[in-house]
Every structure is written in C-alpha cells, then in structure tokens.
C-alpha cells in the first residue's frame, strides 16, 4: 500500500498518528498499546535491553551490544530530547512524532527514528529466540510470502541490499497484509510523510555497520543469517496482534 492510499484508508487516526486497530474501545493509543514510547518529565529515556550484553552470543557479541546500546542509542535519545525542546513535537509519544515528522525536520527525523528503531530492535531479539513464528503471524507470513523460507529469503535480500546504512522491515497494513521494505539511515515505516510504503513495523533489522562490524566485519550476510537465530517471534506476534486487532 502506497503512502497516499495508506493515509486515505481511514486507518490512521486524525492527522495520521497511529494505526487505528492499536486503540481499544474507549482508550487512547497511549493507554491501549503497550508498545507506545512516551516521554517522561525530562523527555525520552534510554530503555533497558532486558537481557545481558552477552546474552545473544554467539549471534551478536557483547561488546557490539554494549556500544550499540550505551553509546549509539543513548546518543539518539539525548539528541532527540534536544531537538524536540521548544518544538511542536513537545509532549508527543514517539509514534506520534514519527507519523508527523517531515523530511525537513532533520534532527527529529534522524534521532527520533534512531530512538524508535532501536527500541524495537532490542525487543525483537531474545536469548531464547530463533525458530519460526506460530499462530496468526505464521499464517500471515505464509499468505503474504508463500512460506516462511520465502519470507526469510526476501527479508535477507532486503537487508543485504541496503546501500550504506539503514534497516530492513517486516510491516503490516491495517488489513493484516505483510510486506517487506528497507529504509535508509534511521527512517522507518511509521514515517508516513517520508516513506513511500508506510505501515506498522512488526520486525526490524539494523544493518548499519556499527551493528555488526566488530564481529562480522564486512560479512553482512553472515550477520543477517545470525539475526534469525535470536528473533523473538513471540514479541513480533504481539506486535502483529496489536496492529490488526479490532
């Protein structure tokens, strides 16, 4: 679904803040979605990984995780708070910011995207991850791609062919139809004013070199293959359920 069709579908609320199925009846998006990233009194904060830096070995090494989380992600949070201060984005959830940000909002776009993308990325992985999805998400993958193996092939290709730095995404439209896209830098599918094929992110893979270079050097394909060993399909399934519930 292209951006214009997506916005006209009625599945983005008001000015396009979030996919409507994320709302439960009578609740705001902030109350209904456990995935919402909200600012505190002092702005946005760096989330915990939820597991030790070495917990994803041998797929992802501890030093990469520590630097990636404590330096890179922390930098995005710090710079986002500075960029939002005094702007029209003050007080918005991160998802609202993503849906409203324009290409000209450079600092908010880059750092807000960095914060959102990495917050999703840490939860997309688990020390007990790997295997295959089950239930509703598994059926949707089979329907959209033909099989899990075909999905894996297409997702790996999207990640492997990102030129320079960026992300590969599995996303859903409001009908629950899945597709794969890649985005440059820190863009993501929630950025309806920027990304041509918008949607709700179900799974994202960071293919910036800092995400893998210490362990894999220039072997991005090996890093992509290793990612499948740590994917938390339960988390992805919950995201898909939230994106498609009515």
């Amino acid at each position: 679904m292209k951006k214009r069709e997506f916005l006209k579908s009625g599945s983005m609320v008001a000015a396009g803040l979030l996919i409507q199925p994320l709302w439960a009846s009578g609740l705001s998006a902030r109350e209904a979605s456990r995935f919402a990233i909200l600012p505190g009194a002092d702005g946005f904060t760096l989330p915990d990984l939820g597991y030790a830096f070495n917990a994803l070995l041998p797929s992802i090494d501890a030093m990469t995780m520590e630097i990636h989380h404590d330096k890179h992600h922390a930098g995005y949070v710090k710079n986002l708070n500075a960029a939002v201060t005094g702007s029209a984005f003050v007080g918005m959830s991160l998802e609202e910011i993503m849906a409203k940000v324009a290409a000209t909002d450079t600092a908010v776009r880059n750092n807000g995207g960095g914060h959102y993308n990495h917050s999703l990325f840490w939860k997309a992985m688990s020390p007990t991850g790997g295997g295959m999805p089950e239930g509703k998400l598994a059926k949707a993958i089979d329907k959209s791609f033909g099989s899990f193996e075909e999905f894996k092939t297409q997702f790996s290709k999207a990640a492997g062919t990102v030129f320079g730095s960026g992300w590969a995404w599995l996303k859903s439209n409001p009908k629950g139809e899945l597709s794969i896209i890649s985005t440059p830098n820190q863009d993501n599918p929630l950025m309806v004013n920027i990304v041509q094929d918008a949607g709700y992110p179900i799974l994202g893979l960071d293919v910036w070199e800092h995400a893998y270079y210490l362990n894999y050097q220039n072997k991005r394909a090996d890093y992509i293959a290793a990612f499948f060993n740590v994917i938390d399909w339960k988390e992805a399934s919950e995201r898909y359920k939230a994106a498609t519930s009515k």
Side-chain angles (χ1 to χ4, degrees):
M1 180 179 288
K2 298 301 182 182
K3 176 177 68 176
R4 186 171 299 173
E5 296 171 349
F6 188 80
L7 288 169
K8 288 182 178 180
S9 69
S11 46
M12 300 291 279
V13 174
L17 302 184
L18 277 176
I19 294 178
Q20 190 168 347
L22 285 175
W23 272 263
S25 179
L27 296 178
S28 69
R30 298 181 180 218
E31 296 168 322
S33 175
R34 73 176 180 87
F35 300 107
I37 301 173
L38 308 176
D42 297 320
F44 292 100
T45 57
L46 180 68
D48 293 333
L49 278 178
Y51 42 81
F53 293 128
N54 65 355
L56 301 181
L57 284 169
S59 297
I60 303 180
D61 64 284
M63 184 174 292
T64 292
M65 290 298 293
E66 182 175 0
I67 295 172
H68 200 171
H69 179 267
D70 287 6
K71 302 299 182 181
H72 290 282
H73 191 176
Y76 290 126
V77 174
K78 178 181 178 181
N79 293 333
L80 172 63
N81 286 329
V84 166
T85 300
S87 75
F89 298 107
V90 171
M92 292 184 183
S93 72
L94 190 54
E95 290 81 1
E96 290 170 335
I97 292 173
M98 295 296 91
K100 284 180 170 289
V101 73
T104 53
D105 301 313
T106 305
V108 175
R109 172 187 181 180
N110 291 338
N111 293 290
H115 183 25
Y116 180 86
N117 297 352
H118 286 88
S119 296
L120 182 151
F121 185 51
W122 310 135
K123 290 184 177 181
M125 300 182 290
S126 168
T128 59
M132 298 172 62
E134 298 178 351
K136 188 177 179 180
L137 178 58
K139 291 179 181 178
I141 286 175
D142 286 344
K143 182 177 181 180
S144 297
F145 304 104
S147 67
F148 177 76
E149 287 303 316
E150 181 59 25
F151 153 73
K152 187 175 179 179
T153 296
Q154 291 187 30
F155 188 86
S156 298
K157 181 178 179 180
T161 54
V162 171
F163 183 77
S165 301
W167 292 72
W169 300 97
L170 173 66
K171 67 176 184 63
S172 175
N173 69 14
K175 295 181 180 179
E177 298 164 337
L178 298 172
S179 59
I180 294 168
I181 65 167
S182 60
T183 57
N185 302 316
Q186 295 296 349
D187 290 353
N188 63 60
L190 287 182
M191 296 179 175
V192 296
N193 296 317
I194 297 171
V195 176
Q196 290 299 310
D197 196 0
Y200 188 75
I202 305 301
L203 182 70
L205 174 58
D206 187 349
V207 291
W208 284 62
E209 286 188 344
H210 64 241
Y212 63 87
Y213 212 80
L214 290 181
N215 194 33
Y216 293 97
Q217 290 80 51
N218 64 331
K219 299 174 183 177
R220 185 191 286 184
D222 291 351
Y223 161 69
I224 295 168
F227 175 66
F228 282 90
N229 297 328
V230 294
I231 293 176
D232 188 340
W233 286 112
K234 291 183 179 179
E235 178 73 10
S237 292
E238 287 298 312
R239 293 188 67 89
Y240 183 67
K241 180 179 177 181
T244 58
S245 62
K246 297 181 180 180

